[in-house]
Amino acid sequence: MKALSDSADTPTRQVASNSDLSELASLRDFLPEFGVSNLTRKKLFKHLRLIPYDVLVVLFVGQIMLPIWAALLLVAVNVGTWWCYHRIPQFLRTVSGPDGDGILISGPIVERFAQFIHSCGVHHRAHYGLMFAMMAGFHAAMTGQLWSLELSPAAMMTMAWLSYAALFAVDFIMYWISLRTLQQLRKDKLREANRYTAELKRSNEELEQFAYIASHDLRSPLRSIINLSNWIEQDIGKTCSADTREHLRLLKSRTERMDNLLNDLLRYARIGSEETSRETIVLGELAQEIFDSLHSNDKMTLEIRGGETEIEDYRITFLLMLSNLIANAIKHNKRDSGHIWVSFERDKTALNIIVEDDGPGIPEAYRSKVFDVFSTLDRRDTKEASGMGLAIVRKIVLHKKGRISLDNNDLGGARFTIRLPILKDGL
Amino acid sequence: MSELLRQVHFLIAEDDEVDILALKRILIDLDQDIAFSIAHDGSEVLSILRENVTKGDEAENFIVLLDLNMPRMNGHEFLEELRKDESIADTVVFVLSTSVDPRDINRTYQHHVSGYIPKDRLEASSFRKLFESYLELNSFPQRPGG
């Protein structure tokens, strides 16, 4: 299945339901072209093309109606001519030629017409056959003969009705075959889609399980290391050399980094599988909360625009997105003071979020790289960064089928622009 | 206060060396003379408890601090066996585990543990508060003649 957003380059989880597919594919994509003479499945596949279903229904109905019109016409013609034959013999005899066995339409022309019909496909054959039947009926009614057979007008009428019935039967059979083929194709497509979805789901679950086990089992010895280093510090911190003290400090910071990394890894793997429920989130409040909890000194200020904007969604996803973006802005500010702007704007179709700062900005060359897992632009030990923050943000945005882009604003700082489409039943 | 702590014998069921060290440090920090034993898997704990029963009057009040991940017989299996054996089924057990999975938690409570303490919340002062209050208020199962 192709991804729906042009910025989504990882397959997102899609579970196809019956109703999804019936809208999408089955009826519109798998209709056979008409006029195909041999209705085998193989040929149908070759002649697939997109025909709007409604047009097709009109065609089918129109087709069915056509014999009805023809039948009515035939009945009219037969009844009319029969009536004429019985009521106005003189009139008929005048057109049947001087000898009484000449006919309105000459024999050879009728024969030619019959040959032409045999060379057409069943479909056309049926229709031309009807016309021929009409003509033959007319012919026979005029002369009381059908190919040198002595038949009564009543028999003519019966024949005409039979030919109508035959045409109807052929039409119906064609319609029925098309419908069955359509159903079969739809079933196949559904089965294929379900199989793909099941595989995707399974692979996602495996990945999550792997990430969970990896981070869980890695955290256990890490915890031990943290404990031991704490105890060592407690026991000898006062009496050891300055070098040892420095080593201990570095030891603690590295273990802290690893703990953060494992935490983030676990969170990254879990995105999309939270079992919480949706709630109404006031975005400005959330942003302020996050900012207050993140910045410890008064170095940074935050300005929120459109803070009263509300959205109904899983709180944890917005929490992760905003906290990683705001934390990123705080982390990378190298000066004594900095400013962060967060703006929320919602229109009918989408929610737009912009997070920008007046920090050093991100050079164009690195703009796509920053979203990669495990990428940092500063030396790792200066920031204890796991490199996962923006990757998490991107994953969440893609999971919501949105778009995220990065550029530098007028002040040279980084500006992240996120657009999240609002679907009928919420984000 | 530490009088109360001396009335019990802590039985640590844990296989990770560093986690054992952590618990030892907490216990010794609370009281130098605190009584504790260490078992590395479920079956060791069971044998210690059963041996204790044979002591009759001298039997001690054990509080088992149980880790769920142990080799051979893990925490869950141990709890099942414990509650099946009538002579020791009334033992007080507190689970100390890294796991915060609701399934683990619920499963241990199915076997009537006295509490479930995630390891990352464990530290000396709260441990002390918990057990001091517990011992102050609690009565252990009364043994005949004990």
Side-chain angles (χ1 to χ4, degrees):
Chain A
M1 289 199 195
K2 281 182 69 210
L4 298 175
S5 152
D6 59 3
S7 68
D9 52 3
T10 50
T12 52
R13 216 189 284 203
Q14 305 212 23
V15 180
S17 66
N18 256 341
S19 57
D20 280 344
L21 273 181
S22 61
E23 231 140 86
L24 227 209
S26 54
L27 304 175
R28 283 163 212 277
D29 294 335
F30 299 108
L31 297 168
E33 188 182 303
F34 288 104
V36 177
S37 55
N38 292 316
L39 290 175
T40 59
R41 267 185 81 181
K42 251 195 274 184
K43 285 229 173 167
L44 270 172
F45 273 106
K46 277 199 214 151
H47 291 282
L48 285 180
R49 66 158 193 252
L50 289 173
I51 303 175
Y53 183 66
D54 311 291
V55 170
L56 205 72
V57 168
V58 168
L59 282 177
F60 269 137
V61 171
Q63 262 204 28
I64 296 296
M65 290 308 291
L66 204 63
I68 293 176
W69 301 130
L72 288 175
L73 192 60
L74 186 67
V75 166
V77 163
N78 280 330
V79 165
T81 50
W82 174 79
W83 181 83
C84 292
Y85 181 79
H86 279 280
R87 299 289 180 174
I88 317 178
Q90 203 61 37
F91 168 72
L92 285 173
R93 282 183 195 112
T94 55
V95 300
S96 64
D99 300 329
D101 52 8
I103 50 177
L104 201 60
I105 306 163
S106 69
I109 294 179
V110 171
E111 282 309 299
R112 278 252 178 238
F113 198 72
Q115 272 171 21
F116 167 67
I117 286 183
H118 280 294
S119 69
C120 296
V122 165
H123 181 90
H124 301 279
R125 201 182 301 179
H127 282 294
Y128 293 134
L130 175 67
M131 283 169 56
F132 181 64
M134 277 171 56
M135 288 173 51
F138 190 83
H139 172 179
M142 293 292 285
T143 59
Q145 293 181 4
L146 189 68
W147 293 304
S148 349
L149 290 171
E150 296 269 341
L151 288 171
S152 66
M156 296 299 106
M157 285 272 281
T158 313
M159 280 219 49
W161 277 111
L162 281 176
S163 61
Y164 160 68
L167 174 67
F168 188 77
V170 166
D171 244 336
F172 180 78
I173 288 169
M174 274 184 51
Y175 181 72
W176 188 76
I177 291 176
S178 308
L179 205 64
R180 293 287 286 167
T181 313
L182 192 70
Q183 277 179 358
Q184 190 63 37
L185 288 169
R186 184 175 162 191
K187 242 195 292 179
D188 284 348
K189 180 82 177 174
L190 185 64
R191 208 179 326 144
E192 199 187 301
N194 278 340
R195 196 169 12 143
Y196 181 80
T197 306
E199 267 180 44
L200 194 65
K201 207 169 169 189
R202 190 178 46 86
S203 130
N204 273 347
E205 274 171 9
E206 268 181 29
L207 188 68
E208 265 175 42
Q209 198 182 32
F210 172 76
Y212 179 81
I213 291 173
S215 66
H216 199 254
D217 289 342
L218 286 171
R219 290 176 89 195
S220 172
L222 184 62
R223 233 177 355 93
S224 303
I225 295 172
I226 292 175
N227 274 334
L228 290 163
S229 61
N230 278 332
W231 298 334
I232 293 171
E233 200 183 31
Q234 280 167 22
D235 291 345
I236 68 161
K238 304 248 166 56
T239 56
C240 66
S241 68
D243 277 349
T244 306
R245 244 199 306 278
E246 177 64 6
H247 295 161
L248 282 171
R249 186 190 68 78
L250 286 169
L251 183 64
K252 279 179 81 168
S253 85
R254 293 305 181 268
T255 49
E256 188 190 302
R257 184 201 299 173
M258 190 164 164
D259 204 27
N260 288 337
L261 176 66
L262 289 173
N263 253 331
D264 285 345
L265 191 65
L266 192 59
R267 229 188 271 145
Y268 178 83
R270 278 223 202 102
I271 288 171
S273 68
E274 282 90 3
E275 283 165 14
T276 50
S277 57
R278 305 171 98 107
E279 49 189 286
T280 308
I281 310 164
V282 182
L283 290 166
E285 272 176 30
L286 182 62
Q288 189 65 52
E289 252 179 64
I290 291 169
F291 179 74
D292 291 337
S293 72
L294 275 180
H295 98 136
S296 43
N297 50 22
D298 292 304
K299 214 169 59 144
M300 308 287 295
T301 49
L302 174 73
E303 191 185 306
I304 303 176
R305 297 187 209 126
E308 64 283 352
T309 314
E310 290 184 356
I311 193 81
E312 212 181 276
D313 205 335
Y314 299 96
R315 190 184 166 82
I316 181 73
T317 56
F318 278 88
L319 183 70
L320 280 175
M321 256 198 309
L322 290 173
S323 57
N324 276 302
L325 286 170
I326 295 176
N328 202 64
I330 295 176
K331 243 187 261 175
H332 288 99
N333 183 296
K334 294 181 168 60
R335 303 180 312 201
D336 291 329
S337 71
H339 206 89
I340 304 176
W341 293 269
V342 179
S343 80
F344 301 103
E345 186 212 308
R346 178 176 172 162
D347 55 48
K348 252 192 252 161
T349 54
L351 170 70
N352 295 313
I353 304 174
I354 300 179
V355 178
E356 54 188 324
D357 58 57
D358 58 356
I362 297 177
E364 204 173 325
Y366 299 122
R367 279 185 204 152
S368 59
K369 249 188 115 208
V370 288
F371 291 107
D372 289 340
V373 175
F374 298 140
S375 85
T376 54
L377 291 185
D378 286 321
R379 279 179 56 216
R380 282 170 203 265
D381 38 343
T382 59
K383 293 277 190 282
E384 303 308 341
S386 64
M388 299 261 338
L390 291 179
I392 291 178
V393 173
R394 188 179 80 156
K395 187 173 185 189
I396 295 177
V397 169
L398 291 183
H399 189 257
K400 295 186 192 293
K401 310 220 177 51
R403 279 203 286 260
I404 180 167
S405 62
L406 168 60
D407 63 348
N408 285 351
N409 60 19
D410 297 329
L411 300 163
R415 173 171 52 196
F416 291 88
T417 311
I418 296 175
R419 186 184 160 81
L420 302 172
I422 299 175
L423 307 171
K424 266 191 293 192
D425 49 352
L427 277 183
Chain B
M1 280 299 135
S2 55
E3 280 286 319
L4 295 166
L5 281 169
R6 289 207 203 114
Q7 287 170 27
V8 295
H9 191 122
F10 284 99
L11 181 44
I12 301 173
E14 173 68 67
D15 76 315
D16 183 294
E17 247 185 275
V18 181
D19 285 343
I20 292 175
L21 271 178
L23 276 173
K24 270 170 82 173
R25 263 178 104 96
I26 292 177
L27 290 173
I28 294 175
D29 216 33
L30 299 183
D31 190 309
Q32 294 260 341
D33 301 320
I34 205 162
F36 64 88
S37 307
I38 299 171
H40 298 284
D41 67 76
S43 42
E44 263 189 66
V45 185
L46 285 172
S47 58
I48 293 176
L49 291 172
R50 284 177 184 137
E51 213 196 295
N52 183 49
V53 172
T54 62
K55 291 204 196 129
D57 283 0
E58 308 275 304
E60 299 184 272
N61 290 315
F62 273 105
I63 294 182
V64 180
L65 300 175
L66 179 70
D67 179 40
L68 294 179
N69 289 326
M70 290 186 293
R72 279 193 291 254
M73 187 190 269
N74 69 22
H76 294 296
E77 291 161 6
F78 160 76
L79 284 168
E80 267 198 62
E81 288 303 316
L82 179 73
R83 301 306 179 200
K84 271 194 225 154
D85 185 339
E86 283 194 24
S87 62
I88 51 173
D90 55 7
T91 310
V92 173
V93 178
F94 284 85
V95 179
L96 286 168
S97 181
T98 44
S99 161
V100 290
D101 190 341
R103 282 171 295 184
D104 277 331
I105 298 178
N106 294 344
R107 210 175 149 195
T108 56
Y109 276 109
Q110 298 281 339
H111 292 294
H112 314 297
V113 296
S114 303
Y116 191 107
I117 305 171
K119 273 187 192 156
D120 47 10
R121 280 199 235 144
L122 178 68
E123 39 105 14
S125 62
S126 40
F127 186 89
R128 178 188 205 123
K129 274 191 225 151
L130 168 67
F131 282 102
E132 275 178 0
S133 313
Y134 181 81
L135 291 169
E136 209 177 334
L137 302 166
N138 179 58
S139 295
F140 279 94
Q142 307 293 306
R143 302 207 196 256

